[in-house]
């Protein structure tokens, strides 16, 4: 045990995560603890030694982020002022290490850690849909426990009682299966507040737009691809050059809700956006590089603040810390 703690605290991110876990446990009013959230994931997907409790199947990457000229006008965050190295990870939603790449009803994930130097970092953790499926951590647990029963009537009843929980699946099933991790829009879902050097604040949501455009597969094409084509597709694509995304900020306005990740802002697709910079993914990295830490949605930096009234946002980083501790302890 002692050996593990020393190993864990050698990783700055984890020590930060542990501090986050402590603070948010108190603020969650203890209805769904970080361990409850991870246990609920394990209840559906099983425990997989050394692996993430969610977004288990994925590919670790390295690259660069180059900010736009407009980015510092919105936020004084250091990575929005000068180019920085990044570690990134593409993933599939859920805790199944063998999740099929060709499923339509699953999110793709893109997490990015911006290296700010001297051991400091900031992260964004996004999915291929602009909303999440529950508005509170308690409902996250309730939903997964319902799924774990396998009782279709109970699952139907959950959706009947929580119609907002159908929005994510409706989004996914109205979009084609992404033909590539590099060919789909990713969204930050939560509302963040940017503050610039003059102290001016602006609420934003992240959207990452692929330079390759949206690349979709028809149901027949997806079926023909089989369950494991993303890794090979990405390897071939990277052999020809970097995979790039435009990181953009969708601008919020007075009165936009920031407390419910199941809801989009009114007319969100037609809001003004500001380009923040280019994420350039250059190479596939060993899994061990990404497995040594967590990408934490709450790992923000001066100039960027997470929503203070969004209970899902508050619950995420502490749950990620629990998942990290467990996977490091159980790693073969
Ligand atoms: C109560 C809500 C949520 C819970 C309990 C939860 C839980 C988790 C856990 C336990 C992990 C694995 C962390 C690790 O071992 O490092 C994870 C990973 C991830 N989550 Fe969540 N999550 C939630 C909401 C969200 C939302 C709203 C998004 C997107 C906006 C998201 C996107 C991701 C992504 C992309 C990863 C993979 C990160 C990586 O590649 O390491 N999650 N989540």
């Amino acid at each position: 045990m002692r050996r593990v703690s020393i190993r864990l605290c050698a990783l700055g991110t984890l020590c930060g995560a542990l501090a986050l876990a402590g603070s948010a446990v108190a603020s969650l009013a203890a209805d769904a603890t970080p361990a409850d959230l991870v246990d609920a994931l394990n209840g559906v997907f099983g425990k997989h030694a050394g692996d993430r409790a969610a977004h288990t199947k994925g590919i670790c990457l390295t690259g660069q982020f180059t900010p736009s000229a407009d980015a510092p006008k919105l936020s004084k965050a250091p990575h929005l002022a000068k180019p920085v190295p990044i570690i990134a990870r593409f993933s599939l939603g859920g805790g199944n290490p063998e999740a099929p790449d060709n499923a339509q009803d699953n999110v793709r994930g893109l997490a990015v850690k911006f290296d700010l130097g001297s051991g400091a970092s900031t992260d964004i953790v996004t999915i291929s849909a602009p909303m999440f499926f529950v508005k509170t951590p308690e409902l996250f647990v309730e939903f997964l426990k319902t799924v774990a029963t396998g009782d279709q009537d109970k699952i139907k009843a959950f959706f009947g009682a929580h119609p907002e929980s159908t929005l994510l699946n409706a989004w996914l099933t109205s979009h084609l299966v992404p033909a590539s991790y590099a060919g789909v829009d990713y969204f930050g879902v939560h509302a963040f507040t940017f503050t610039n050097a003059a102290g001016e604040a602006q609420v934003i949501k992240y959207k990452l737009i692929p330079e390759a455009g949206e690349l979709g597969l028809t149901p027949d094409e997806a079926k023909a691809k089989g369950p494991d084509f993303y890794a090979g597709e990405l390897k071939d694509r990277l052999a020809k050059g970097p995979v790039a995304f435009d990181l953009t900020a969708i601008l919020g306005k007075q009165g936009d809700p920031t407390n419910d990740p199941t809801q989009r802002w009114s007319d969100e697709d037609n809001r003004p956006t500001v380009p923040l910079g280019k994420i350039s993914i250059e190479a596939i990295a060993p899994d061990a590089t990404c497995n040594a830490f967590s990408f934490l949605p709450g790992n923000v930096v001066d100039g960027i603040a997470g929503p203070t009234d969004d209970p899902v946002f508050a619950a995420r980083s502490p749950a990620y810390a629990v998942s990290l501790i467990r996977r490091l302890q159980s790693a073969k």
Side-chain angles (χ1 to χ4, degrees):
M1 190 62 196
R2 187 158 174 270
R3 194 180 62 81
V4 173
S5 344
I6 291 166
R7 214 173 108 220
L8 299 186
C9 278
L11 303 164
T13 308
L14 180 62
C15 292
L18 288 171
L20 272 168
S23 61
V25 171
S27 71
L28 272 177
D31 280 345
T33 67
D36 291 340
L37 295 163
V38 175
D39 288 345
L41 285 160
N42 290 164
V44 171
F45 299 107
K47 289 185 183 174
H48 303 282
D51 283 344
R52 285 162 174 74
H55 290 258
T56 312
K57 186 178 181 186
I59 304 173
C60 188
L61 312 144
T62 53
Q64 287 284 326
F65 175 70
T66 309
S68 71
D70 287 332
K73 295 178 196 161
L74 278 186
S75 167
K76 60 187 169 187
H79 62 301
L80 298 180
K82 67 169 176 51
V84 296
I86 57 167
I87 298 176
R89 186 171 177 268
F90 285 126
S91 59
L92 286 171
N96 174 5
E98 286 162 20
D101 294 349
N102 58 353
Q104 190 176 21
D105 60 351
N106 198 2
V107 291
R108 279 70 187 158
L110 172 52
V112 182
K113 186 173 284 292
F114 301 84
D115 181 351
L116 305 179
S118 310
S121 66
T122 186
D123 303 344
I124 58 174
V125 189
T126 69
I127 51 173
S128 59
M131 74 289 286
F132 196 52
F133 71 98
V134 283
K135 59 183 173 188
T136 67
E138 289 75 22
L139 286 170
F140 184 89
V141 172
E142 188 184 326
F143 178 70
L144 290 178
K145 282 188 171 168
T146 307
V147 171
T149 66
D151 183 331
Q152 292 307 315
D153 291 338
K154 286 189 179 154
I155 296 171
K156 230 184 246 170
F158 180 93
F159 285 124
H162 305 286
E164 73 280 3
S165 293
T166 62
L167 297 173
L168 173 57
N169 199 53
W171 170 275
L172 293 171
T173 51
S174 65
H175 288 74
L176 295 174
V177 172
S180 166
Y181 276 132
V184 64
D185 292 339
Y186 293 88
F187 300 84
V189 176
H190 304 286
F192 291 81
T193 300
F194 276 8
T195 308
N196 66 14
E200 294 158 339
Q202 168 70 53
V203 175
I204 65 103
K205 286 186 186 179
Y206 291 114
K207 180 174 179 185
L208 284 65
I209 302 168
E211 277 199 352
E214 288 200 74
L215 309 172
L217 299 171
T218 64
D220 283 348
E221 287 168 340
K223 200 172 165 203
K225 287 279 182 190
D228 273 308
F229 64 96
Y230 279 155
E233 196 278 342
L234 190 62
K235 199 170 159 224
D236 292 348
R237 188 175 284 275
L238 285 169
K240 294 182 207 131
V243 161
F245 290 85
D246 291 326
L247 177 64
T248 67
I250 302 171
L251 301 184
K253 53 187 187 202
Q254 193 73 31
D256 280 337
T258 59
N259 63 350
D260 182 352
T262 66
Q263 300 302 318
R264 305 193 72 194
W265 288 335
S266 60
D267 206 23
E268 194 176 290
D269 288 329
N270 297 314
R271 294 291 183 99
T273 60
V274 173
L276 297 175
K278 187 189 277 201
I279 290 169
S280 179
I281 291 165
E282 290 160 1
I284 294 176
D287 286 343
T289 303
C290 286
N291 289 352
F293 58 77
S294 276
F295 296 90
L296 293 171
N299 183 24
V300 290
V301 70
D302 196 22
I304 302 176
T308 52
D309 56 354
D310 175 343
V312 170
F313 181 78
R316 285 179 67 192
S317 297
Y320 291 30
V322 168
S323 172
L324 174 62
I325 291 163
R326 290 186 184 177
R327 62 186 165 81
L328 290 180
Q329 285 176 336
S330 65
K332 296 148 222 159

